[in-house]
Amino acid sequence: MENILSIKDLVVSFASDGRKDRAVAVNGLSLDIPRGGTVGLVGESGCGKSVTSLSVMGLLAENGRVDAGEARFAGQDLLKLPDRELRKLRGNRISMIFQEPMTSLNPVLTVGRQLTEAIRQHSDMDKAAAKARAIELLEHVGIPEAATRFGNYPHQLSGGMRQRVMIGMAMAMTPDLLIADEPTTALDVSIEAQILRLMKDLQRRHGTSILMITHNLGVVAELCDEVYVMYAGEVVERADVFTLFRDCAHPYTRGLMASLPRMTPKGQRLYNIRGTVPNLRAMPAGCRFAPRCELASERCHAEKPGLIDLGGGHLCRCFLRGEAANHE
Amino acid sequence: MAKHIVKRILITIPVLLGIVLLIFFMLNVVPGDPVTVMMKEHLKEDVVENLRKSMHLDDPFFLRYLRYVLDMLRGDLGMSWKLNRPVTKVIAQAFPYTCRLAVAAALFSWIMGIPVGVLSAVKKNSLIDHLSMGVSLFGVSMPVFWVALILQNTFKNVLPVSGVSGWRSYILPTVVLGWSSAGRIARLTRSNLLEVLRNDYIRTARSKGLPPFTVITRHALKNALIPVITVMAIQISSLLSGAVITESVFAIPGVGSLAVSAINNRDMPLLQGTVIFTAVLIIAGNLVADVLYSIIDPRIRVE
């Protein structure tokens, strides 16, 4: 299938005050998003998943820098595009939703103003047409009394409503790709389901591809076709969603699955992966997950595993490959 | 909104009465009898006695306070002892000078301060940033009288340095008075803008493909200027109440100079008048700041 976005060997690093060495947040990541598909990017906070999306959008913080790699979108390498050209794509053919609906909207501008400015930036609609379009968008994302809400300020809306506005804004120009960075993390579970349903619905209607960044495997199961699991700046496993849930291969992914709270006898402790994510400036020499892995051998600590194809596009960065699955 | 403003205005009434009481009390306990100052100690005792009586100086404190407040409510601040003219008239005559200087200095400080602050924030840690912040810091920290003297000495052949003769007389005082305000506004604008630029909604604005100029002006500046506008409103009210030092150094016959001469002459009614005038302006400035604040920030408006 044709890919709408194809990231290859992306390396992103950050400078911090008073230090010469840069912290490498993303280390050689490759990822493909098929047209019309939904790809999940999963991992703990700090594993580099948001950094990946921000570098594709050209929105890295000042101290961040793309050191290597390419991101092909419609024949262009987004990472080499001058800002002026990238701006034409942002909010138009690629758009983004962020984690915090409470802080992602400007508090001193009305919802309508923030919607219409996105529309008018990428079209030659006049004020009235843009307003009509914005109200239509608000209705599409399920905001009641859209015409009234148009004149509201963000603080007059609930968190779920604000995220709907964000989605409306992102869908304003019916983009080819929607990057959703933990769009439901800050919301109640019932609202989360509504927002996910809305995204699915919009995708079906417009054929938009989605990159879903999340640490929530439930969201992945709900929405994604394919999943990339990231750990410490690298992809450790890639599989279609059924394979991943049926038969994941990497010990880290297995740990994530086991960490999901489920109905267990009272008093039994929830599973957690021991240890913490390694420091970006002090990565283990071998497998990055080895210090926390229950199955790590001497080889894992000394040598770095590559991504191994387990068949059918199921990739796994582990010496034990499928064997890990059979251990327990 | 209107209710909010009316409420704020009503609150100022007790504040004003309190201020008048305080001023009245303080000027009563300072040493120096106006009559002796006026008469240079040459007068016979009975003349002094009569004068004191006609000026009600021997009446009880609260009686005099009450009389003063009642007169004040009728727009009468008493007669200047030295000039023998109504205090309100004297202030009204001096105010245009102060007003011209204040408005010029305020405009100077905004026109210099805000763009410099924005530029410094956008070009953070560049040469421009360091340079303009250095100049601002200099403006904020140098004593006004010193800057005034240096400028007078430097430009004495080009610009008028004393008294008022045409608009050119206001140039140097405007720079002296405006510089420190400009420095304060530039630094405040810079730090607020830097703070605002870190917000999530700025990233959202950029993710919509807006050009950097629009992101700064439409999304960042409006948020960053909320505290700056408060400072500006209070600043202009304090400028309007007379820049005592600047007016004295440049011999501008404004409200500031008036206050200084009132102190020197123990002219109590005039001094009280100028201080109350100042207080009213400061209160009004705060009120305007409050109202502006709620116009810009919709979150305050609703409550």
Side-chain angles (χ1 to χ4, degrees):
Chain A
M1 208 192 309
E2 186 203 356
N3 292 324
I4 187 79
L5 177 71
S6 183
I7 303 176
K8 239 191 171 134
D9 303 322
L10 178 70
V11 179
V12 185
S13 67
F14 285 88
S16 52
D17 283 338
R19 294 190 69 136
K20 282 222 176 96
D21 56 329
R22 299 176 67 87
V24 179
V26 176
N27 188 22
L29 174 131
S30 298
L31 180 153
D32 293 318
I33 301 171
R35 186 176 284 279
T38 304
V39 171
L41 188 55
V42 184
E44 285 166 283
S45 19
C47 73
K49 47 193 201 301
S50 292
V51 172
T52 303
S53 64
L54 290 176
S55 39
V56 169
M57 292 286 280
L59 294 175
L60 278 179
E62 270 173 34
N63 58 341
R65 187 179 73 197
V66 173
D67 294 316
E70 60 170 37
R72 294 230 150 254
F73 176 84
Q76 291 170 297
D77 183 359
L78 297 177
L79 305 179
K80 305 241 162 36
L81 227 47
D83 193 55
R84 170 180 280 283
E85 296 300 313
L86 197 54
R87 279 208 307 269
K88 286 186 192 155
L89 298 176
R90 280 208 295 256
N92 186 11
R93 301 193 56 196
I94 313 176
S95 53
M96 198 160 175
I97 318 170
F98 301 98
Q99 176 173 358
E100 278 293 338
M102 300 317 235
T103 55
S104 293
L105 289 168
N106 194 328
V108 302
L109 298 177
T110 60
V111 165
R113 183 75 200 274
Q114 298 186 56
L115 271 162
T116 49
E117 72 173 356
I119 297 167
R120 297 191 68 191
Q121 182 67 32
H122 299 291
S123 70
D124 42 15
M125 274 190 219
D126 63 12
K127 242 182 169 166
K131 180 174 178 179
R133 170 80 179 127
I135 292 175
E136 185 190 4
L137 281 166
L138 289 176
E139 279 164 358
H140 276 182
V141 295
I143 289 181
E145 294 171 71
T148 319
R149 289 304 184 189
F150 181 88
N152 276 173
Y153 287 93
H155 70 269
Q156 292 166 293
L157 272 56
S158 68
M161 284 291 163
R162 287 188 220 187
Q163 198 60 299
R164 282 170 190 270
V165 171
M166 284 294 293
I167 293 175
M169 218 149 75
M171 296 303 293
M173 306 308 294
T174 49
D176 300 319
L177 174 64
L178 176 66
I179 300 177
D181 189 353
E182 309 238 14
T184 58
T185 305
L187 302 175
D188 290 346
V189 183
S190 55
I191 311 290
E192 173 172 52
Q194 289 176 15
I195 295 289
L196 292 180
R197 203 172 312 134
L198 173 65
M199 290 178 64
K200 247 182 185 170
D201 190 44
L202 289 171
Q203 179 176 39
R204 205 169 27 235
R205 211 180 309 173
H206 303 296
T208 306
S209 318
I210 297 178
L211 174 60
M212 186 61 147
I213 296 170
T214 180
H215 63 254
N216 185 336
L217 287 169
V219 170
V220 170
E222 183 79 16
L223 211 64
C224 300
D225 312 320
E226 271 172 48
V227 189
Y228 288 77
V229 181
M230 263 185 102
Y231 183 77
E234 292 176 338
V235 169
V236 293
E237 184 161 9
R238 177 207 171 277
D240 66 79
V241 72
F242 297 108
T243 310
L244 192 86
F245 278 91
R246 192 172 359 105
D247 173 27
C248 61
H250 197 279
Y252 176 64
T253 317
R254 297 182 62 81
L256 283 184
M257 297 276 183
S259 308
L260 286 176
R262 59 193 80 194
M263 299 297 270
T264 48
K266 210 171 171 180
Q268 189 179 325
R269 291 182 66 104
L270 290 172
Y271 178 83
N272 69 320
I273 305 173
R274 68 196 163 105
T276 52
V277 184
N279 186 325
L280 289 179
R281 296 177 192 279
M283 280 296 168
C287 171
R288 294 189 165 183
F289 187 60
R292 300 173 72 183
C293 182
E294 287 166 358
L295 307 167
S297 65
E298 234 165 79
R299 186 184 175 202
C300 297
H301 286 286
E303 207 179 313
K304 200 172 150 69
L307 273 176
I308 299 155
D309 196 338
L310 303 180
H314 185 182
L315 304 178
C316 176
R317 191 186 291 280
C318 182
F319 292 123
L320 304 161
R321 311 188 242 172
E323 295 157 35
N326 308 325
H327 258 271
E328 285 170 38
Chain B
M1 186 69 177
K3 212 171 141 195
H4 176 68
I5 297 173
V6 170
K7 220 163 95 189
R8 284 288 284 110
I9 293 174
L10 288 179
I11 290 172
T12 60
I13 294 173
V15 173
L16 200 60
L17 286 178
I19 289 171
V20 176
L21 180 62
L22 206 65
I23 295 163
F24 210 77
F25 176 73
M26 285 198 294
L27 294 186
N28 261 276
V29 295
V30 289
D33 180 34
V35 176
T36 43
V37 171
M38 278 192 287
M39 303 303 165
K40 304 264 189 265
E41 298 166 20
H42 301 315
L43 267 168
K44 291 186 199 137
E45 232 165 73
D46 57 325
V47 179
V48 172
E49 209 50 43
N50 276 339
L51 203 59
R52 289 187 69 87
K53 202 162 276 168
S54 75
M55 288 165 73
H56 303 292
L57 282 179
D58 296 327
D59 287 353
F61 176 77
F62 270 101
L63 192 62
R64 281 183 292 142
Y65 172 68
L66 206 65
R67 193 181 290 131
Y68 189 82
V69 169
L70 288 176
D71 283 348
M72 190 181 80
L73 291 178
R74 273 180 288 150
D76 178 8
L77 292 175
M79 298 288 279
S80 161
W81 290 341
K82 172 83 179 171
L83 305 169
N84 207 21
R85 290 172 55 217
V87 168
T88 43
K89 286 236 168 74
V90 177
I91 292 179
Q93 198 176 30
F95 185 61
Y97 294 99
T98 297
C99 191
R100 280 191 284 265
L101 178 57
V103 170
L107 286 179
F108 175 84
S109 70
W110 301 345
I111 291 168
M112 296 300 290
I114 293 175
V116 165
V118 172
L119 200 66
S120 295
V122 174
K123 306 259 174 218
K124 190 180 135 199
N125 291 333
S126 67
L127 185 66
I128 295 178
D129 180 24
H130 291 308
L131 204 69
S132 50
M133 282 307 110
V135 174
S136 306
L137 186 63
F138 193 80
V140 172
S141 31
M142 286 304 116
V144 173
F145 73 88
W146 184 82
V147 176
L149 292 175
I150 296 292
L151 286 182
Q152 277 179 330
N153 200 35
T154 316
F155 294 101
K156 60 177 177 252
N157 297 325
V158 206
L159 290 167
V161 294
S162 183
V164 176
S165 53
W167 63 272
R168 293 174 76 239
S169 307
Y170 288 101
I171 295 178
L172 286 184
T174 297
V175 173
V176 169
L177 205 52
W179 189 0
S180 68
S181 297
R184 208 166 296 132
I185 287 175
R187 299 181 74 83
L188 194 64
T189 303
R190 177 184 182 271
S191 63
N192 279 319
L193 192 56
L194 284 176
E195 188 74 36
V196 166
L197 284 175
R198 273 197 289 270
N199 274 310
D200 288 350
Y201 56 79
I202 296 299
R203 194 179 52 190
T204 308
R206 293 177 62 208
S207 81
K208 283 191 266 192
L210 300 178
F213 184 77
T214 312
V215 173
I216 299 262
T217 49
R218 190 183 300 160
H219 284 268
L221 209 52
K222 205 172 168 196
N223 283 287
L225 285 186
I226 293 173
V228 180
I229 281 170
T230 319
V231 169
M232 275 163 34
I234 294 167
Q235 165 222 11
I236 191 153
S237 64
S238 84
L239 285 176
L240 279 174
S241 60
V244 174
I245 296 169
T246 312
E247 284 182 9
S248 301
V249 176
F250 288 96
I252 291 171
V255 180
S257 298
L258 215 56
V260 175
S261 69
I263 292 170
N264 289 337
N265 298 322
R266 298 288 190 281
D267 192 342
M268 296 304 173
L270 185 57
L271 186 54
Q272 266 166 20
T274 54
V275 176
I276 286 167
F277 182 69
T278 304
V280 170
L281 280 173
I282 302 268
I283 290 172
N286 277 296
L287 185 65
V288 170
D290 230 38
V291 173
L292 279 180
Y293 210 98
S294 57
I295 288 173
I296 299 171
D297 195 336
R299 285 165 295 186
I300 293 171
R301 216 177 300 162
V302 232
E303 282 142 32

